[in-house]
Amino acid sequence: MAHQEGSGHARLQLAMAEVHTANSNWAAVVDHSWPVAQQQSSFGSSPLTTQLQLHASLTCVRALLTQGKDEQALQLAQQAVKNSHNLLSREELTPAKQQALLEATACLAGVLHATGDSEGAAAQCQTALTLVHDDDASGGVFSKSAVAAALKQAAALRLAQGQLSEAAGLFGQSCAAAEQCQEVGSNTSLRPPVWQQQVAADVMLGAAQTAAAQHSWDKAEELLSKALNLAEQLHGGDSQNPQVGVVLGLLGHVYARSKRITLAEGLHRQAVKLLRMDPSASPSETLPVHSSLAAAGAWRYSQLLTALPRRDKEASAWKQVAAAHSSIELESTLGPLDILKGGKDNSPGIVVDLLMLRALPCW
């Protein structure tokens, strides 16, 4: 009875965390998921508690990363991997235990990528890919959403490293897995259905960014349109959610780089609105996305406005917004403000992550 009461409380906490996720209230998401994730003594006591605590850990890590609480996110992700390894050493080896390790490993890879540890991220991605390969060779029993998320993490790292062919191949595999996890009855975990939709949208967004990096603008636009459709279906069809804003911003970027400036301006304007950004707002105002993504959105909007006649004042205002939210040199990362007017660009760019709502570094 005590076990049932404990799992019931954990389920309630995770349900509340999901409600706050839909509202982009990341501090509240942590408040509800952190206590469940920290119940280390009961980890592995039953398949149910294992799933609940892993779900709580991954939910909490995501919220911490979006808030910029990287050290806490790293510690929690490392603990999830450690717990999963310990679970594998107990009694018989089961696919559920291996999937727990896959999800924890992919999560840690994402944290390491977000925090700039390319070598650490590469090592975790390789482990995740090996787990996926072994599962596929034995008949493929892992949930498709877990496989899609793991493949996407490895693909995002390849994209960040400029390995575009490898990235495109991994994103293709990830898209295929994400499509399968959208099928009715495919969700066999405790993750809510919206998680599968979020993974599918994130995977599609990554594939689109890879196409854009290859200057395949038509393909990038097609994939972004699919990502937009998926993002608009999140959280009960709320087309005003921040994920929609993120996709619109990337679509505006693709339009701008393919010389459709007027259309791009409208998309960027709507994107910053959905991200609750305003030049007149205080820089300390809480945003629904990580500061890196806010800075990138503002900088790219400033680049666009710089290319338009009589928009210099607005361009300057958005440049200041970008600087207020960034801890890095944006010009060296995203190119100069006059890039759309022929300015020289040797910048590495960023990889936008829709689950973390964060701009990941490129090398």
Side-chain angles (χ1 to χ4, degrees):
M1 180 65 71
H3 169 69
Q4 291 178 346
E5 290 177 354
S7 63
H9 178 70
R11 283 176 178 270
L12 177 60
Q13 291 298 309
L14 290 174
M16 290 301 299
E18 189 57 39
V19 170
H20 290 299
T21 295
N23 296 321
S24 303
N25 187 346
W26 303 113
V29 172
V30 173
D31 288 342
H32 286 283
S33 58
W34 179 269
V36 181
Q38 290 302 304
Q39 294 172 2
Q40 304 298 338
S41 60
S42 61
F43 189 89
S45 60
S46 75
L48 177 60
T49 57
T50 298
Q51 284 195 61
L52 286 169
Q53 288 179 253
L54 181 61
H55 176 22
S57 294
L58 303 189
T59 298
C60 194
V61 166
R62 172 189 177 188
L64 289 168
L65 283 173
T66 304
Q67 293 179 90
K69 298 181 178 180
D70 296 352
E71 185 174 344
Q72 287 177 271
L74 178 59
Q75 291 175 351
L76 189 55
Q78 289 173 329
Q79 185 63 53
V81 171
K82 180 180 178 181
N83 287 343
S84 298
H85 275 296
N86 289 340
L87 193 61
L88 285 173
S89 66
R90 301 179 194 172
E91 301 175 357
E92 64 175 318
L93 185 66
T94 65
K97 293 178 180 180
Q98 290 178 300
Q99 181 175 313
L101 178 59
L102 173 66
E103 294 190 73
T105 300
C107 175
L108 179 56
V111 175
L112 293 170
H113 187 170
T115 55
D117 184 351
S118 60
E119 291 186 5
Q124 296 301 320
C125 283
Q126 186 56 54
T127 298
L129 289 175
T130 299
L131 288 167
V132 170
H133 179 270
D134 291 347
D135 176 65
D136 186 57
S138 60
V141 297
F142 289 169
S143 78
K144 295 304 179 183
S145 60
V147 171
L151 289 171
K152 175 263 166 185
Q153 207 59 65
L157 182 63
R158 299 293 196 281
L159 175 57
Q161 295 171 328
Q163 301 174 25
L164 302 186
S165 295
E166 293 87 342
L170 285 169
F171 272 123
Q173 295 175 49
S174 185
C175 283
E179 287 178 4
Q180 291 182 57
C181 79
Q182 293 292 300
E183 296 174 359
V184 176
S186 63
N187 187 16
T188 58
S189 70
L190 293 177
R191 292 269 188 160
V194 71
W195 169 252
Q196 295 179 336
Q197 297 170 343
Q198 290 169 338
V199 169
D202 190 35
V203 166
M204 199 64 69
L205 194 73
Q209 292 177 85
T210 303
Q214 296 171 317
H215 294 176
S216 299
W217 304 119
D218 289 344
K219 183 177 180 180
E221 182 180 350
E222 177 187 349
L223 292 169
L224 282 169
S225 295
K226 293 180 179 179
L228 181 60
N229 181 56
L230 289 166
E232 288 176 336
Q233 295 175 30
L234 297 175
H235 310 305
D238 177 16
S239 62
Q240 302 299 302
N241 68 67
Q243 286 92 340
V244 172
V246 172
V247 180
L248 287 176
L250 278 172
L251 190 56
H253 175 63
V254 167
Y255 276 21
R257 296 307 295 266
S258 54
K259 311 301 183 184
R260 290 170 285 180
I261 302 296
T262 303
L263 289 172
E265 196 279 332
L267 291 169
H268 273 295
R269 184 167 9 98
Q270 181 64 10
V272 295
K273 178 182 177 181
L274 293 179
L275 298 184
R276 305 173 199 168
M277 296 170 62
D278 189 327
S280 63
S282 168
S284 61
E285 185 172 332
T286 301
L287 297 176
V289 298
H290 187 263
S291 58
S292 62
L293 200 52
W299 184 263
R300 283 178 169 171
Y301 194 20
S302 184
Q303 288 176 323
L304 180 71
L305 292 169
T306 299
L308 294 171
R310 298 182 296 279
R311 304 293 291 272
D312 292 350
K313 186 175 181 180
E314 292 174 80
S316 178
W318 282 104
K319 176 185 176 182
Q320 293 177 25
V321 172
H325 288 290
S326 180
S327 59
I328 61 172
E329 171 52 52
L330 287 167
E331 183 167 337
S332 61
T333 302
L334 297 172
L337 287 178
D338 64 352
I339 189 172
L340 299 176
K341 299 172 70 174
K344 188 176 180 181
D345 178 30
N346 294 313
S347 60
I350 56 174
V351 176
V352 175
D353 190 292
L354 201 59
L355 293 176
M356 302 180 205
L357 290 172
R358 183 164 173 151
L360 307 184
C362 293
W363 299 280

